[in-house]
Amino acid sequence: QIDLVESGGGSVQAGGSLRLSCALSGYTGFTSNEYCVGWIRQAPGKEREGVASMDSDGYIGYTDSVKGRFTISRDKAKNTLYLQMNSLKPEDTAMYYCAAENYIRSYCYTSRAPDFTFEGQGTQVTVSS
């Protein structure tokens, strides 16, 4: 059984930073070096949006609105995925979800993250102006 648990959300002022963490229990992709993981967000009244993704082929992608501000990374030893968010803006306010997929070559594009098979319960990020 695969269980994804996010943490690290909260309320910050514009310009601040947060680091989201996601513990990927039961996901063996990091160990086998065949992985596809990412972050999704959904703001009230808006569609789910892929924020960032990465895979074992070296692909790292971001949605345009967060490029240069957000960084996705992983810790293999801890089986944990991170999203470092800097220079936060009010429009970043959303529920953020960790997502994972079984590795498929050339599949792990950020736009596909909302369709990944495994997903956590989410952590709320609120940015005030």
Side-chain angles (χ1 to χ4, degrees):
Q1 180 180 346
I2 294 175
D3 190 26
L4 279 57
V5 179
E6 303 94 337
S7 61
S11 298
V12 296
Q13 290 191 327
S17 298
L18 284 173
R19 187 176 80 155
L20 305 184
S21 299
C22 174
L24 292 91
S25 174
Y27 184 73
T28 61
F30 290 167
T31 302
S32 66
N33 201 34
E34 290 190 336
Y35 61 86
C36 169
V37 291
W39 291 91
I40 307 161
R41 67 184 178 186
Q42 185 168 24
K46 295 189 176 181
E47 292 186 355
R48 286 154 54 85
E49 173 188 35
V51 176
S53 65
M54 62 188 301
D55 71 9
S56 47
D57 289 335
Y59 170 83
I60 299 176
Y62 300 93
T63 191
D64 287 345
S65 62
V66 308
K67 286 180 180 176
R69 300 188 298 121
F70 290 12
T71 303
I72 187 173
S73 64
R74 68 183 182 99
D75 185 320
K76 178 180 178 180
K78 295 181 179 179
N79 221 39
T80 299
L81 182 68
Y82 301 100
L83 185 68
Q84 177 67 43
M85 305 186 296
N86 298 328
S87 302
L88 282 160
K89 304 176 180 180
E91 50 263 43
D92 295 318
T93 294
M95 185 71 80
Y96 283 73
Y97 302 88
C98 171
E101 180 59 89
N102 296 308
Y103 169 76
I104 303 171
R105 181 188 289 268
S106 300
Y107 178 82
C108 200
Y109 297 116
T110 303
S111 59
R112 290 180 172 152
D115 297 324
F116 289 178
T117 299
F118 309 106
E119 190 172 310
Q121 294 299 307
T123 185
Q124 177 68 38
V125 172
T126 303
V127 185
S128 59
S129 58

